[in-house]
Amino acid sequence: MDSQSSELLSANQSPAFILFVAGDEPNSRMARDNLAKINDALFAGKLSLQIVDVFHSPEKALIHGVFLTPALIRTSPPCRTMLLGNLSMETEVRRYLGQTTV
Amino acid sequence: MTKKVKPSYKELEDLLAEAEQMIRAILSGEVDAFISEKGIYLMRLKEIEEELRRSRNELQQQVNQRTVELEATNRRLKKLNAELQDFTYIASHDLQEPLRKIQNFGGLLIDLYGGSLDETGRDYLERMMSAVTRMRNLIDSLLAYSLTTQAGPYKQVDLNKSVKQAVSNLEMLINEKQARLEVSDLPLIEADQVQMIQLFQNLIANALKFQPAGSCPCVKIESRLDTAGQTCEIRVTDNGIGFEKKYLDRIFLPFQRLHDRDSGYQGVGMGLPICRKIVEHGGGTITARSRPNQGSTFIVTLPLKCHQSPESPDSP
């Protein structure tokens, strides 16, 4: 875990994320893998992360205003923006996760 | 009524950033499903694109392969066709010489020794000479048929003049049969002049030939242009014996006769096949409508312009 990520997680707030995926579709699988790698590497797997398969729970996606997958959203503290795509752009993902400390 | 809320600059900026991100994700093929209240739609854009590319490549390969095969077949067919034409020409041309000898010596036999033969002997000789004449007609027709492929230069041909020339060539037969001809105004087309005369001559001769006993032939030739002005349709109608629809294909085949030699209808069955060859070489079509004892109408469709560059208009 690097110093930046430790710092990010040092806040009292408990950030929570949901990754919306479409079953085992290629981009969804990649997003899951990429996020798991970042979680392991930077947050020691401690990131509060829920994965929602829209094939099983499409209503959850609609409730959160997600209509494209894969999509990563922050539910706590709530954030207006979401991250779309297979999360292969690590810098952007880290920045998005880093916003949790705000 | 819904109250309109004016978004803040920050909110607009976020919306724009999100829209930009969506567009980027979609264009880069990083999304795989679209969720709506009606259902989930998979967006396997990259896969579809790849599949399309693969199909397109396979199709192109198949087309290339088929093109190569077709070109090879085409070359082979052209060669075979040329060989066949040469063979037909040489065979029919060379057959004429021995036949001419048979005819000449047969004639001498009748003239010089006919008197010393009994009735049966003379009958045999006459039958032989009749067969020779028939064979000669067959060979002449075969020769004419093989030569039909070799169209002369295409130029502006006045079909009225072609009919006039054909009628002139058939004058004796027309007078003998007391035939009546009605010819309406025909167009100018780009064609082979000699073959157009041959076409009308064969069609008119056909109409004169297949007449019920004792009736006077009436042949009507008329034409009309298609609406686009690309082709002309020529109809040659007669009041002859006609034929059943089932024979339509047969009448345009070489040496096919619908009537046997004893029926009284002369001919070797090459007139209409030659017509078809002429018309098809000119890029047109020929067909017929007929019923037994109700006459026939031969319908020729020809393009007004051919692909070759025309020469100056023909002279009569």
Side-chain angles (χ1 to χ4, degrees), chain B residues 3-18:
Chain B
K3 191 184 172 187
K4 285 183 181 172
V5 180
K6 195 177 174 186
S8 69
Y9 180 77
K10 177 77 175 81
E11 280 171 334
L12 280 173
E13 211 173 47
D14 287 348
L15 277 171
L16 271 174
E18 195 176 318

Side-chain angles (χ1 to χ4, degrees), chain B residues 10-283:
Chain B
K10 177 77 175 81
E11 280 171 334
L12 280 173
E13 211 173 47
D14 287 348
L15 277 171
L16 271 174
E18 195 176 318
E20 193 182 323
Q21 198 200 152
M22 275 184 201
I23 291 165
R24 183 195 61 77
I26 291 169
L27 289 179
S28 61
E30 282 192 23
V31 293
D32 45 27
F34 171 71
I35 307 130
S36 80
E37 285 177 3
K38 289 182 180 172
I40 297 165
Y41 305 91
L42 290 179
M43 296 169 69
R44 292 169 171 161
L45 295 179
K46 278 195 169 169
E47 281 178 53
I48 293 168
E49 200 181 336
E50 186 54 38
E51 185 63 34
L52 274 174
R53 192 179 298 118
R54 206 167 36 240
S55 303
R56 202 166 50 229
N57 288 345
E58 279 173 19
L59 199 66
Q60 189 59 49
Q61 278 175 3
Q62 283 176 2
V63 168
N64 291 346
Q65 196 184 334
R66 292 281 181 282
T67 307
V68 170
E69 286 170 9
L70 277 175
E71 279 172 356
T73 309
N74 198 26
R75 276 195 300 274
R76 208 164 53 241
L77 281 174
K78 272 185 180 169
K79 191 169 175 280
L80 280 172
N81 198 31
E83 282 172 6
L84 191 67
Q85 274 176 29
D86 289 348
F87 171 77
T88 316
Y89 176 79
I90 291 164
S92 47
H93 185 263
D94 290 358
L95 279 172
Q96 291 201 73
E97 183 48 35
L99 199 64
R100 202 172 291 123
K101 276 193 178 153
I102 296 171
Q103 204 168 23
N104 289 343
F105 284 111
L108 284 173
L109 209 54
I110 290 174
D111 291 347
L112 301 177
Y113 301 99
S116 54
L117 290 171
D118 62 6
E119 200 176 326
T120 312
R122 276 198 301 276
D123 180 45
Y124 287 168
L125 206 52
E126 276 163 15
R127 282 200 213 178
M128 188 189 83
M129 292 304 282
S130 162
V132 167
T133 307
R134 220 165 45 242
M135 191 164 178
R136 211 163 168 166
N137 287 340
L138 284 167
I139 290 172
D140 284 347
S141 302
L142 195 62
L143 196 59
Y145 187 71
S146 71
L147 288 172
T148 305
T149 51
Q150 297 154 10
Y154 278 42
K155 58 183 181 178
Q156 286 282 330
V157 175
D158 183 347
L159 293 183
N160 296 297
K161 289 178 184 169
S162 303
V163 171
K164 204 173 166 185
Q165 185 59 53
V167 169
S168 168
N169 295 348
L170 293 166
E171 196 176 1
M172 275 177 68
L173 188 62
I174 291 169
N175 291 338
E176 185 192 313
K177 297 259 183 181
Q178 295 179 306
R180 190 158 56 87
L181 264 87
E182 291 175 23
V183 185
S184 66
D185 192 38
L186 300 174
L188 278 162
I189 70 166
E190 282 175 19
D192 178 295
Q193 188 185 4
V194 176
Q195 290 195 346
M196 286 302 105
I197 295 168
Q198 184 74 56
L199 172 70
F200 284 112
Q201 193 171 315
N202 288 10
L203 288 173
I204 297 168
N206 196 67
L208 300 177
K209 200 183 293 172
F210 296 103
Q211 281 290 321
S215 83
C216 293
C218 177
V219 187
K220 208 161 140 185
I221 302 174
E222 54 199 344
S223 80
R224 65 173 182 201
L225 301 183
D226 73 337
T227 47
Q230 301 285 315
T231 59
C232 71
E233 186 187 274
I234 301 152
R235 287 172 177 251
V236 180
T237 306
D238 64 53
N239 58 342
I241 56 170
F243 58 88
E244 285 183 45
K245 198 181 172 184
K246 64 179 176 183
Y247 295 126
L248 181 60
D249 291 335
R250 209 171 129 185
I251 59 170
F252 292 107
L253 294 175
F255 300 119
Q256 295 289 319
R257 291 166 50 92
L258 301 185
H259 311 276
D260 58 40
R261 281 202 305 274
D262 301 329
S263 64
Y265 297 113
Q266 302 288 317
V268 295
M270 285 299 276
L272 292 176
I274 289 175
C275 286
R276 185 166 82 167
K277 238 183 172 186
I278 291 170
V279 170
E280 287 181 352
H281 282 140

